[in-house]
Amino acid sequence: MKAEIICVGTEILLGDIVNTNAQFLAKELADLGIYVYYQTVVGDNTDRLKEALKIAFTRANLVITTGGLGPTKDDLTKEVCAEFFNKKLEINEDSMDYIKEYFKSQNKKMVKSNEKQAFFPKDSIILKNDCGTAPGCIIKDNDKTVILFPGPPREMTHMFKNYAKPYLQKYQKNILESKTLRICGMGESSVEEKIKDLIESQINPTIAPYAKNSEVTLRITARASSKKEAKELIEPIKNEIYSRLSPFIYGEDDTCLEFEVAKMIINKNLTIATAESCTGGLIASKFINYPGISSVFNEGMVTYSNESKMKRLGVKKETLEKYGAVSEQTAAEMAIGIAKNTKSNIGISVTGIAGPSGGSDQKPVGLVYIGICINGVTKVKQLNLKGDRNRIRNRTSIEALNFLRLECLNI
């Protein structure tokens, strides 16, 4: 089965809202073994939506739409699909009763225009909307199928998972199963070079590398008749990649770097404190995203000025005068100081020039030092980053977490 996703709404086309619906649907369809080769966004316009449907069905036998099921005049997806399939709109009494009851339960008056949401192309399969007033539907005509979802993501995702997904599963002989490996500390080109032969010889499973947010992910995807069979196909490829890329692989599937580092610290029964200058608390914030981190996270300080570095962390005045706030020596003393003052096993520090001003020939914008003190042993890492202020700060926080992860592996 080949599918195309059509997201309807001028607000998406103009960039007023982010199209998260297409992302969700693409992932869900991939898991079902349904190929998605094209995605389309079209405004609230009858002629252009008709044309989008016409084009979509030349290259797919399943079209999924989101949006345009509301009560207003510019909500026209059902009407256009009914015309496309030459089907009349008919009232669905169950849907009408549900919509009336919905408004009653909300102590709101139902206006005449809401009745529009209870009309569907003849012979449609109705998809209940348990989260709103716009039911969806499935229209099937010979080898063409279109599934209509409402636009609000909460309504669409619930409707897909509970009603559309079971319908689609009946038509799929094979499924796609994926395993995602998450890599930090190695660039995309270096990763690809290490596994180039695996990519070039791939058939089933396949390997897809891509870079995002200062990390690289490898998605291994297998097609099989069952999840068990697919996992058995994935396992040897996954193990081979681990043998080549470890220790740069920090986790799998839906995890993130800060969660893996937090779990590592908790499992090793270590306590930690942070001292941040250029990142302004970003590292502490990432740790605090992890539930349960309070058992090991003692304290986080933002020591921006030289005075605070001396007063709060015990950085020597002579160090600042001789080497400067952005230096290997200062980063080391910051890490030692935060660990000592908070009685923590680990002290991690960052100091740098995030820009856009403040740089020099000797110390350009993007120069950053990360200090780590673990049980009295101190190491410092230098970074030379590019980009705007926010990118430098975010990249620094990620590099700091990964530096800590690598140092903790041998504890």
mmCIF file with all atom_site columns, all heavy atoms in Angstrom, residues 360-380:
data_model
loop_
_atom_site.group_PDB
_atom_site.id
_atom_site.type_symbol
_atom_site.label_atom_id
_atom_site.label_alt_id
_atom_site.label_comp_id
_atom_site.label_asym_id
_atom_site.label_entity_id
_atom_site.label_seq_id
_atom_site.pdbx_PDB_ins_code
_atom_site.Cartn_x
_atom_site.Cartn_y
_atom_site.Cartn_z
_atom_site.occupancy
_atom_site.B_iso_or_equiv
_atom_site.pdbx_formal_charge
_atom_site.auth_seq_id
_atom_site.auth_comp_id
_atom_site.auth_asym_id
_atom_site.auth_atom_id
_atom_site.pdbx_PDB_model_num
ATOM 1   N N   . SER A 1 360 ? 37.836 37.956 20.632 1.00 0.00 ? 360 SER A N   1
ATOM 2   C CA  . SER A 1 360 ? 39.080 38.606 20.195 1.00 0.00 ? 360 SER A CA  1
ATOM 3   C C   . SER A 1 360 ? 39.842 37.630 19.313 1.00 0.00 ? 360 SER A C   1
ATOM 4   O O   . SER A 1 360 ? 39.428 36.483 19.132 1.00 0.00 ? 360 SER A O   1
ATOM 5   C CB  . SER A 1 360 ? 39.929 38.987 21.416 1.00 0.00 ? 360 SER A CB  1
ATOM 6   O OG  . SER A 1 360 ? 40.372 37.826 22.095 1.00 0.00 ? 360 SER A OG  1
ATOM 7   N N   . ASP A 1 361 ? 40.971 38.057 18.772 1.00 0.00 ? 361 ASP A N   1
ATOM 8   C CA  . ASP A 1 361 ? 41.778 37.163 17.945 1.00 0.00 ? 361 ASP A CA  1
ATOM 9   C C   . ASP A 1 361 ? 42.283 35.976 18.759 1.00 0.00 ? 361 ASP A C   1
ATOM 10  O O   . ASP A 1 361 ? 42.362 34.848 18.256 1.00 0.00 ? 361 ASP A O   1
ATOM 11  C CB  . ASP A 1 361 ? 42.965 37.918 17.346 1.00 0.00 ? 361 ASP A CB  1
ATOM 12  C CG  . ASP A 1 361 ? 42.540 38.933 16.302 1.00 0.00 ? 361 ASP A CG  1
ATOM 13  O OD1 . ASP A 1 361 ? 41.403 38.789 15.778 1.00 0.00 ? 361 ASP A OD1 1
ATOM 14  O OD2 . ASP A 1 361 ? 43.317 39.856 16.012 1.00 0.00 ? 361 ASP A OD2 1
ATOM 15  N N   . GLN A 1 362 ? 42.642 36.229 20.007 1.00 0.00 ? 362 GLN A N   1
ATOM 16  C CA  . GLN A 1 362 ? 43.162 35.172 20.867 1.00 0.00 ? 362 GLN A CA  1
ATOM 17  C C   . GLN A 1 362 ? 42.038 34.273 21.386 1.00 0.00 ? 362 GLN A C   1
ATOM 18  O O   . GLN A 1 362 ? 42.200 33.066 21.525 1.00 0.00 ? 362 GLN A O   1
ATOM 19  C CB  . GLN A 1 362 ? 43.933 35.752 22.054 1.00 0.00 ? 362 GLN A CB  1
ATOM 20  C CG  . GLN A 1 362 ? 45.236 36.439 21.685 1.00 0.00 ? 362 GLN A CG  1
ATOM 21  C CD  . GLN A 1 362 ? 44.999 37.810 21.036 1.00 0.00 ? 362 GLN A CD  1
ATOM 22  O OE1 . GLN A 1 362 ? 44.007 38.496 21.370 1.00 0.00 ? 362 GLN A OE1 1
ATOM 23  N NE2 . GLN A 1 362 ? 45.883 38.209 20.130 1.00 0.00 ? 362 GLN A NE2 1
ATOM 24  N N   . LYS A 1 363 ? 40.876 34.902 21.674 1.00 0.00 ? 363 LYS A N   1
ATOM 25  C CA  . LYS A 1 363 ? 39.734 34.162 22.222 1.00 0.00 ? 363 LYS A CA  1
ATOM 26  C C   . LYS A 1 363 ? 38.486 34.552 21.434 1.00 0.00 ? 363 LYS A C   1
ATOM 27  O O   . LYS A 1 363 ? 37.741 35.447 21.805 1.00 0.00 ? 363 LYS A O   1
ATOM 28  C CB  . LYS A 1 363 ? 39.550 34.459 23.709 1.00 0.00 ? 363 LYS A CB  1
ATOM 29  C CG  . LYS A 1 363 ? 40.709 33.964 24.572 1.00 0.00 ? 363 LYS A CG  1
ATOM 30  C CD  . LYS A 1 363 ? 40.449 34.184 26.054 1.00 0.00 ? 363 LYS A CD  1
ATOM 31  C CE  . LYS A 1 363 ? 41.599 33.641 26.889 1.00 0.00 ? 363 LYS A CE  1
ATOM 32  N NZ  . LYS A 1 363 ? 41.342 33.792 28.350 1.00 0.00 ? 363 LYS A NZ  1
ATOM 33  N N   . PRO A 1 364 ? 38.252 33.866 20.322 1.00 0.00 ? 364 PRO A N   1
ATOM 34  C CA  . PRO A 1 364 ? 37.131 34.218 19.452 1.00 0.00 ? 364 PRO A CA  1
ATOM 35  C C   . PRO A 1 364 ? 35.784 33.774 20.022 1.00 0.00 ? 364 PRO A C   1
ATOM 36  O O   . PRO A 1 364 ? 35.714 32.921 20.914 1.00 0.00 ? 364 PRO A O   1
ATOM 37  C CB  . PRO A 1 364 ? 37.444 33.475 18.155 1.00 0.00 ? 364 PRO A CB  1
ATOM 38  C CG  . PRO A 1 364 ? 38.223 32.285 18.601 1.00 0.00 ? 364 PRO A CG  1
ATOM 39  C CD  . PRO A 1 364 ? 39.044 32.738 19.774 1.00 0.00 ? 364 PRO A CD  1
ATOM 40  N N   . VAL A 1 365 ? 34.714 34.337 19.472 1.00 0.00 ? 365 VAL A N   1
ATOM 41  C CA  . VAL A 1 365 ? 33.368 33.875 19.812 1.00 0.00 ? 365 VAL A CA  1
ATOM 42  C C   . VAL A 1 365 ? 33.263 32.387 19.470 1.00 0.00 ? 365 VAL A C   1
ATOM 43  O O   . VAL A 1 365 ? 33.691 31.955 18.395 1.00 0.00 ? 365 VAL A O   1
ATOM 44  C CB  . VAL A 1 365 ? 32.298 34.672 19.028 1.00 0.00 ? 365 VAL A CB  1
ATOM 45  C CG1 . VAL A 1 365 ? 30.913 34.032 19.197 1.00 0.00 ? 365 VAL A CG1 1
ATOM 46  C CG2 . VAL A 1 365 ? 32.272 36.119 19.490 1.00 0.00 ? 365 VAL A CG2 1
ATOM 47  N N   . GLY A 1 366 ? 32.728 31.619 20.401 1.00 0.00 ? 366 GLY A N   1
ATOM 48  C CA  . GLY A 1 366 ? 32.620 30.179 20.209 1.00 0.00 ? 366 GLY A CA  1
ATOM 49  C C   . GLY A 1 366 ? 33.658 29.380 20.969 1.00 0.00 ? 366 GLY A C   1
ATOM 50  O O   . GLY A 1 366 ? 33.569 28.150 21.025 1.00 0.00 ? 366 GLY A O   1
ATOM 51  N N   . LEU A 1 367 ? 34.633 30.085 21.580 1.00 0.00 ? 367 LEU A N   1
ATOM 52  C CA  . LEU A 1 367 ? 35.615 29.395 22.409 1.00 0.00 ? 367 LEU A CA  1
ATOM 53  C C   . LEU A 1 367 ? 34.956 29.042 23.745 1.00 0.00 ? 367 LEU A C   1
ATOM 54  O O   . LEU A 1 367 ? 34.441 29.915 24.445 1.00 0.00 ? 367 LEU A O   1
ATOM 55  C CB  . LEU A 1 367 ? 36.835 30.275 22.651 1.00 0.00 ? 367 LEU A CB  1
ATOM 56  C CG  . LEU A 1 367 ? 37.902 29.702 23.596 1.00 0.00 ? 367 LEU A CG  1
ATOM 57  C CD1 . LEU A 1 367 ? 38.548 28.449 23.010 1.00 0.00 ? 367 LEU A CD1 1
ATOM 58  C CD2 . LEU A 1 367 ? 38.957 30.756 23.941 1.00 0.00 ? 367 LEU A CD2 1
ATOM 59  N N   . VAL A 1 368 ? 34.979 27.768 24.096 1.00 0.00 ? 368 VAL A N   1
ATOM 60  C CA  . VAL A 1 368 ? 34.328 27.286 25.317 1.00 0.00 ? 368 VAL A CA  1
ATOM 61  C C   . VAL A 1 368 ? 35.225 26.252 25.988 1.00 0.00 ? 368 VAL A C   1
ATOM 62  O O   . VAL A 1 368 ? 35.886 25.458 25.317 1.00 0.00 ? 368 VAL A O   1
ATOM 63  C CB  . VAL A 1 368 ? 32.955 26.646 25.007 1.00 0.00 ? 368 VAL A CB  1
ATOM 64  C CG1 . VAL A 1 368 ? 32.329 26.060 26.277 1.00 0.00 ? 368 VAL A CG1 1
ATOM 65  C CG2 . VAL A 1 368 ? 32.007 27.646 24.374 1.00 0.00 ? 368 VAL A CG2 1
ATOM 66  N N   . TYR A 1 369 ? 35.219 26.279 27.311 1.00 0.00 ? 369 TYR A N   1
ATOM 67  C CA  . TYR A 1 369 ? 35.914 25.253 28.088 1.00 0.00 ? 369 TYR A CA  1
ATOM 68  C C   . TYR A 1 369 ? 34.910 24.560 28.998 1.00 0.00 ? 369 TYR A C   1
ATOM 69  O O   . TYR A 1 369 ? 34.094 25.213 29.650 1.00 0.00 ? 369 TYR A O   1
ATOM 70  C CB  . TYR A 1 369 ? 37.038 25.857 28.926 1.00 0.00 ? 369 TYR A CB  1
ATOM 71  C CG  . TYR A 1 369 ? 38.191 26.385 28.109 1.00 0.00 ? 369 TYR A CG  1
ATOM 72  C CD1 . TYR A 1 369 ? 38.246 27.724 27.726 1.00 0.00 ? 369 TYR A CD1 1
ATOM 73  C CD2 . TYR A 1 369 ? 39.238 25.538 27.706 1.00 0.00 ? 369 TYR A CD2 1
ATOM 74  C CE1 . TYR A 1 369 ? 39.290 28.218 26.961 1.00 0.00 ? 369 TYR A CE1 1
ATOM 75  C CE2 . TYR A 1 369 ? 40.291 26.028 26.941 1.00 0.00 ? 369 TYR A CE2 1
ATOM 76  C CZ  . TYR A 1 369 ? 40.310 27.359 26.571 1.00 0.00 ? 369 TYR A CZ  1
ATOM 77  O OH  . TYR A 1 369 ? 41.354 27.845 25.802 1.00 0.00 ? 369 TYR A OH  1
ATOM 78  N N   . ILE A 1 370 ? 34.990 23.227 29.027 1.00 0.00 ? 370 ILE A N   1
ATOM 79  C CA  . ILE A 1 370 ? 34.153 22.420 29.910 1.00 0.00 ? 370 ILE A CA  1
ATOM 80  C C   . ILE A 1 370 ? 35.066 21.757 30.925 1.00 0.00 ? 370 ILE A C   1
ATOM 81  O O   . ILE A 1 370 ? 36.048 21.100 30.558 1.00 0.00 ? 370 ILE A O   1
ATOM 82  C CB  . ILE A 1 370 ? 33.400 21.330 29.134 1.00 0.00 ? 370 ILE A CB  1
ATOM 83  C CG1 . ILE A 1 370 ? 32.561 21.932 28.010 1.00 0.00 ? 370 ILE A CG1 1
ATOM 84  C CG2 . ILE A 1 370 ? 32.497 20.515 30.070 1.00 0.00 ? 370 ILE A CG2 1
ATOM 85  C CD1 . ILE A 1 370 ? 32.047 20.896 27.017 1.00 0.00 ? 370 ILE A CD1 1
ATOM 86  N N   . GLY A 1 371 ? 34.751 21.930 32.186 1.00 0.00 ? 371 GLY A N   1
ATOM 87  C CA  . GLY A 1 371 ? 35.527 21.296 33.247 1.00 0.00 ? 371 GLY A CA  1
ATOM 88  C C   . GLY A 1 371 ? 34.723 20.223 33.939 1.00 0.00 ? 371 GLY A C   1
ATOM 89  O O   . GLY A 1 371 ? 33.527 20.394 34.186 1.00 0.00 ? 371 GLY A O   1
ATOM 90  N N   . ILE A 1 372 ? 35.361 19.099 34.245 1.00 0.00 ? 372 ILE A N   1
ATOM 91  C CA  . ILE A 1 372 ? 34.710 18.024 34.982 1.00 0.00 ? 372 ILE A CA  1
ATOM 92  C C   . ILE A 1 372 ? 35.641 17.554 36.093 1.00 0.00 ? 372 ILE A C   1
ATOM 93  O O   . ILE A 1 372 ? 36.803 17.229 35.842 1.00 0.00 ? 372 ILE A O   1
ATOM 94  C CB  . ILE A 1 372 ? 34.353 16.835 34.072 1.00 0.00 ? 372 ILE A CB  1
ATOM 95  C CG1 . ILE A 1 372 ? 33.275 17.229 33.071 1.00 0.00 ? 372 ILE A CG1 1
ATOM 96  C CG2 . ILE A 1 372 ? 33.856 15.649 34.909 1.00 0.00 ? 372 ILE A CG2 1
ATOM 97  C CD1 . ILE A 1 372 ? 32.883 16.117 32.123 1.00 0.00 ? 372 ILE A CD1 1
ATOM 98  N N   . CYS A 1 373 ? 35.124 17.539 37.302 1.00 0.00 ? 373 CYS A N   1
ATOM 99  C CA  . CYS A 1 373 ? 35.860 17.005 38.449 1.00 0.00 ? 373 CYS A CA  1
ATOM 100 C C   . CYS A 1 373 ? 35.064 15.831 38.993 1.00 0.00 ? 373 CYS A C   1
ATOM 101 O O   . CYS A 1 373 ? 33.936 16.001 39.462 1.00 0.00 ? 373 CYS A O   1
ATOM 102 C CB  . CYS A 1 373 ? 36.026 18.089 39.525 1.00 0.00 ? 373 CYS A CB  1
ATOM 103 S SG  . CYS A 1 373 ? 36.885 17.509 41.005 1.00 0.00 ? 373 CYS A SG  1
ATOM 104 N N   . ILE A 1 374 ? 35.636 14.628 38.905 1.00 0.00 ? 374 ILE A N   1
ATOM 105 C CA  . ILE A 1 374 ? 34.961 13.425 39.381 1.00 0.00 ? 374 ILE A CA  1
ATOM 106 C C   . ILE A 1 374 ? 35.816 12.783 40.467 1.00 0.00 ? 374 ILE A C   1
ATOM 107 O O   . ILE A 1 374 ? 36.940 12.336 40.203 1.00 0.00 ? 374 ILE A O   1
ATOM 108 C CB  . ILE A 1 374 ? 34.727 12.413 38.242 1.00 0.00 ? 374 ILE A CB  1
ATOM 109 C CG1 . ILE A 1 374 ? 33.925 13.053 37.108 1.00 0.00 ? 374 ILE A CG1 1
ATOM 110 C CG2 . ILE A 1 374 ? 33.989 11.176 38.775 1.00 0.00 ? 374 ILE A CG2 1
ATOM 111 C CD1 . ILE A 1 374 ? 33.686 12.141 35.917 1.00 0.00 ? 374 ILE A CD1 1
ATOM 112 N N   . ASN A 1 375 ? 35.289 12.794 41.683 1.00 0.00 ? 375 ASN A N   1
ATOM 113 C CA  . ASN A 1 375 ? 36.000 12.224 42.841 1.00 0.00 ? 375 ASN A CA  1
ATOM 114 C C   . ASN A 1 375 ? 37.435 12.739 42.923 1.00 0.00 ? 375 ASN A C   1
ATOM 115 O O   . ASN A 1 375 ? 38.380 11.974 43.168 1.00 0.00 ? 375 ASN A O   1
ATOM 116 C CB  . ASN A 1 375 ? 35.970 10.695 42.778 1.00 0.00 ? 375 ASN A CB  1
ATOM 117 C CG  . ASN A 1 375 ? 34.566 10.139 42.951 1.00 0.00 ? 375 ASN A CG  1
ATOM 118 O OD1 . ASN A 1 375 ? 33.740 10.713 43.660 1.00 0.00 ? 375 ASN A OD1 1
ATOM 119 N ND2 . ASN A 1 375 ? 34.289 9.015  42.297 1.00 0.00 ? 375 ASN A ND2 1
ATOM 120 N N   . GLY A 1 376 ? 37.598 14.034 42.690 1.00 0.00 ? 376 GLY A N   1
ATOM 121 C CA  . GLY A 1 376 ? 38.891 14.691 42.847 1.00 0.00 ? 376 GLY A CA  1
ATOM 122 C C   . GLY A 1 376 ? 39.775 14.701 41.621 1.00 0.00 ? 376 GLY A C   1
ATOM 123 O O   . GLY A 1 376 ? 40.809 15.371 41.604 1.00 0.00 ? 376 GLY A O   1
ATOM 124 N N   . VAL A 1 377 ? 39.364 13.979 40.551 1.00 0.00 ? 377 VAL A N   1
ATOM 125 C CA  . VAL A 1 377 ? 40.151 13.952 39.307 1.00 0.00 ? 377 VAL A CA  1
ATOM 126 C C   . VAL A 1 377 ? 39.511 14.935 38.325 1.00 0.00 ? 377 VAL A C   1
ATOM 127 O O   . VAL A 1 377 ? 38.322 14.833 38.010 1.00 0.00 ? 377 VAL A O   1
ATOM 128 C CB  . VAL A 1 377 ? 40.195 12.541 38.696 1.00 0.00 ? 377 VAL A CB  1
ATOM 129 C CG1 . VAL A 1 377 ? 40.971 12.557 37.381 1.00 0.00 ? 377 VAL A CG1 1
ATOM 130 C CG2 . VAL A 1 377 ? 40.816 11.557 39.695 1.00 0.00 ? 377 VAL A CG2 1
ATOM 131 N N   . THR A 1 378 ? 40.318 15.877 37.821 1.00 0.00 ? 378 THR A N   1
ATOM 132 C CA  . THR A 1 378 ? 39.782 16.957 36.995 1.00 0.00 ? 378 THR A CA  1
ATOM 133 C C   . THR A 1 378 ? 40.300 16.875 35.564 1.00 0.00 ? 378 THR A C   1
ATOM 134 O O   . THR A 1 378 ? 41.487 16.652 35.332 1.00 0.00 ? 378 THR A O   1
ATOM 135 C CB  . THR A 1 378 ? 40.153 18.332 37.585 1.00 0.00 ? 378 THR A CB  1
ATOM 136 O OG1 . THR A 1 378 ? 39.730 18.385 38.942 1.00 0.00 ? 378 THR A OG1 1
ATOM 137 C CG2 . THR A 1 378 ? 39.488 19.466 36.805 1.00 0.00 ? 378 THR A CG2 1
ATOM 138 N N   . LYS A 1 379 ? 39.379 17.070 34.616 1.00 0.00 ? 379 LYS A N   1
ATOM 139 C CA  . LYS A 1 379 ? 39.724 17.137 33.196 1.00 0.00 ? 379 LYS A CA  1
ATOM 140 C C   . LYS A 1 379 ? 39.000 18.322 32.574 1.00 0.00 ? 379 LYS A C   1
ATOM 141 O O   . LYS A 1 379 ? 37.906 18.697 33.016 1.00 0.00 ? 379 LYS A O   1
ATOM 142 C CB  . LYS A 1 379 ? 39.326 15.849 32.474 1.00 0.00 ? 379 LYS A CB  1
ATOM 143 C CG  . LYS A 1 379 ? 40.134 14.630 32.888 1.00 0.00 ? 379 LYS A CG  1
ATOM 144 C CD  . LYS A 1 379 ? 39.778 13.424 32.039 1.00 0.00 ? 379 LYS A CD  1
ATOM 145 C CE  . LYS A 1 379 ? 40.603 12.207 32.437 1.00 0.00 ? 379 LYS A CE  1
ATOM 146 N NZ  . LYS A 1 379 ? 40.289 11.030 31.589 1.00 0.00 ? 379 LYS A NZ  1
ATOM 147 N N   . VAL A 1 380 ? 39.603 18.886 31.520 1.00 0.00 ? 380 VAL A N   1
ATOM 148 C CA  . VAL A 1 380 ? 39.010 20.031 30.828 1.00 0.00 ? 380 VAL A CA  1
ATOM 149 C C   . VAL A 1 380 ? 39.021 19.756 29.327 1.00 0.00 ? 380 VAL A C   1
ATOM 150 O O   . VAL A 1 380 ? 39.990 19.224 28.784 1.00 0.00 ? 380 VAL A O   1
ATOM 151 C CB  . VAL A 1 380 ? 39.781 21.336 31.118 1.00 0.00 ? 380 VAL A CB  1
ATOM 152 C CG1 . VAL A 1 380 ? 39.179 22.499 30.332 1.00 0.00 ? 380 VAL A CG1 1
ATOM 153 C CG2 . VAL A 1 380 ? 39.762 21.643 32.616 1.00 0.00 ? 380 VAL A CG2 1
#
